[in-house]
Amino acid sequence: MPSLPDMTTPNLTALAGQALADSGHVQVPAPDAGQDALVEWLQRMGDNGLILGHRLSEWCGHGPALEEDIAIANQALDLIGQCRLWLGLAAEVEGRGRDADAFAYLRDAGAFRNLLLVELPNGDFGVTLMRQFLFDAFHVELLRALKASSDSRIADIAAKAEKEVAYHLERSADLVIRLGDGTDESHRRMQDALNRLWSYTGEMFLDDAVDQAMADSGIAPLPSSLKDAWDRTVAAVLDEATLARPADGWHHKGGKKGIHTEHLGYILAEMQFLQRAYPGARW
Amino acid sequence: MSGEWPLWEIFIRGQHGLNHRHVGSLHAPDAEMAIRNARDVYTRRNEGVSIWVVRSNDITASSPSEKGPLYDPSNSKVYRHPTFYDIPDEIGHM
Amino acid sequence: MYAQMVTSEGSKARKDMTPDETAFQDRIDRNEKIEPKEWMPDGYRKTLIRQIGQHAHSEIVGQLPEGNWITRAPTLERKAILLAKVQDEAGHGLYLYCAAETLGVSRDELLEALHSGKMKYSSIFNYPTLTWADMGAVGWLVDGAAIMNQVPLQRTSYGPYARAMVRICKEESFHQRQGYDIMMRMCAGTPEQKAMAQDALNRFWYPALMMFGPSDKDSVHSAQSMAWKIKMNTNDELRQKFVDQTVPQAEYLGLTVPDPDLAWNEDKGGHDFSEPDWSEFFAVIAGNGPCNAERLGARVKAWEDGAWFRDGLMAHAAKAGERARAARHAAE
């Protein structure tokens, strides 16, 4: 056992902690790799909801029909509500005094963990709907699996979100079918949207070390395990919509690790403006 | 291709098992979408409600004298309720 | 108000009425509701279409100034609240268009009239929302002024309009409060936030007073609308009520109403206050307000960009209906 340093040493507490840890009495919490992975994974969940909800909210007041304007706002509200739950849990697990708003408003783009797909610009309403369908079909499978999570907090959030997202999928799948099998123009727009977005779908099913850690502890499924069900849903809907599934090829990735498209920076510049311009103010 | 989405009358039976009740109208291309739009517009997605939709043109009406509709606001979005906001007593009714 | 400057067909003295018109006026005087398929004077129908249509247009154009801040709302909760509120406005537009449709005009016809400039919407929505405090001021003042008008309209003589107003008033009850809640937070915040709140009040005070329209105490149009109970109070009555309600609320916030002549008048039991600049009001109504081009442009763009979507769904519904008929035919 090392001798205790004298009283003038500035980092006395740390040294004392180190001494205790060395002696086998672990009282200073060591960084927990499992907790870090969980916080990372919760941010992925929260950021998908936040960024997609933000994109959908851009349509409010600009939708193609009043009924659709209202429906899309409902989806945005669901996703923002889910994001508050996921990021709130991330903050709780992290235990450093942050809250969901701190995650949303005070991280820079490199710290965001959402899929690239959800940050892509809205495009025409066809791109928005196709993006929604491709994501919903994945999201619903993920949430269904999460209802059996070994972490009951996660299972609870998933159970609430799954009901909402099942309805999102019902809507987006039906609209893709109708517009794919509508007029020549609506068919062309939906096929264009599908072609444009296809190379962003692969990222949803990539497994990395964080996913593996979550799967090992029974918290979450491996993303790759959701691919078959997604493929079946997508194949059935595209078939009925008379749309051609693009060939699989190069897939964009990086969002889950914080390497984003240029678009995310602009989303955040807008979203975080007040928190950045008036640091510490309460709203 | 042009033409306005037809108008539908919306009837909702809430969770308490009362009769379906007329709550309003909306536009939709067909019955299935009218039901979905009704969920979004008139229930704000409350669970456990049954929705009927009828093309407005298909309704045969006597000289009408219906009572005003009643409805339940969504329970899941607390901020839609005025009591979510604390307004000081000094301000009076708002 | 949301339906400013609606002209009716001019009022008629009882002695000049036809028997139908007399019977109709008797029903209104007995507070009976008039329902869609019942007989009504042509002027009643036309005035209502204008008024309800203008009210509906105001709701959907009214989504835009607040929609302007949804993507910049400062917290997740504020974002959800604002989005829910602006979504409600779309719903209110929808209810009102449906009410107008019971009078024999289609929603598409009303929208075309809005897009061509033939029909108007409330002047207030042609003012810009420049800071987050404007979300507070719009909720507090604009919704506050709207409620003044909408609460009595729940008793209006036309059944579908009255029912739409009941639903709207019920949903809208949180709108003003969330606005005032924003103002309270800003006024209790940093000096910059308080200054933002004062600036928002400065910019929205007179436009809010204009919402009630110019004085109509001598207007024949207003007299007819009031006889028909599709207008329940004079513009001046509502404006006075609004000022009397709002002044103490501003005082509570520690904000100054931008009117040096504002003073309590014991004799009338209300405030004396300065009139807004009515030349500005008429300029805004005529299309020359700060945001007229953007607001109408955004509505027209949404409509035109959405045409393929609406048409695509109609085409699919026709195809699916055809297939279902063919299948039934084959089964028989």
Side-chain angles (χ1 to χ4, degrees), chain A residues 64 74 181 270 275 282-283, chain C residues 71 78 87 193 310 323:
Chain A
N74 271 339
D181 185 22
E270 202 171 329
Q275 291 285 357
R282 294 182 64 237
W283 303 93
Chain C
T71 55
R78 291 288 185 203
Q87 180 200 35
Q193 286 177 301
R310 297 187 302 273
R323 278 180 219 142

Side-chain angles (χ1 to χ4, degrees), chain A residues 54 60-62 64 67 69-70 74 77 84 101 105 126 178 181-182 189 270-271 275 278 282-283, chain C residues 63 71-80 86-87 107 185 193 196 299 306 308 310 316 319 323:
Chain A
H54 183 96
C60 188
H62 306 274
E67 287 80 3
D69 206 295
I70 292 166
N74 271 339
L77 284 168
R84 289 173 71 185
D101 281 338
Y105 290 93
R178 288 166 180 269
D181 185 22
R189 284 177 183 267
E270 202 171 329
M271 185 168 83
Q275 291 285 357
Y278 301 93
R282 294 182 64 237
W283 303 93
Chain C
Q63 288 183 268
T71 55
R72 288 180 289 174
T75 69
L76 294 172
E77 181 172 84
R78 291 288 185 203
K79 193 185 191 71
V86 180
Q87 180 200 35
R107 185 165 93 187
R185 181 60 66 82
Q193 286 177 301
M196 239 185 255
R299 285 312 315 166
W308 72 270
R310 297 187 302 273
H316 179 86
K319 280 189 207 176
R323 278 180 219 142

Side-chain angles (χ1 to χ4, degrees), chain C residues 22 34 43 104 107 133 155 157 219 224 238 240 242 268 271 297 315:
Chain C
T22 304
I34 308 302
R107 185 165 93 187
R155 292 179 284 107
S157 61
S219 158
Q224 177 61 80
L238 290 172
Q240 180 70 50
F242 174 76
K268 77 173 183 187
H271 291 85

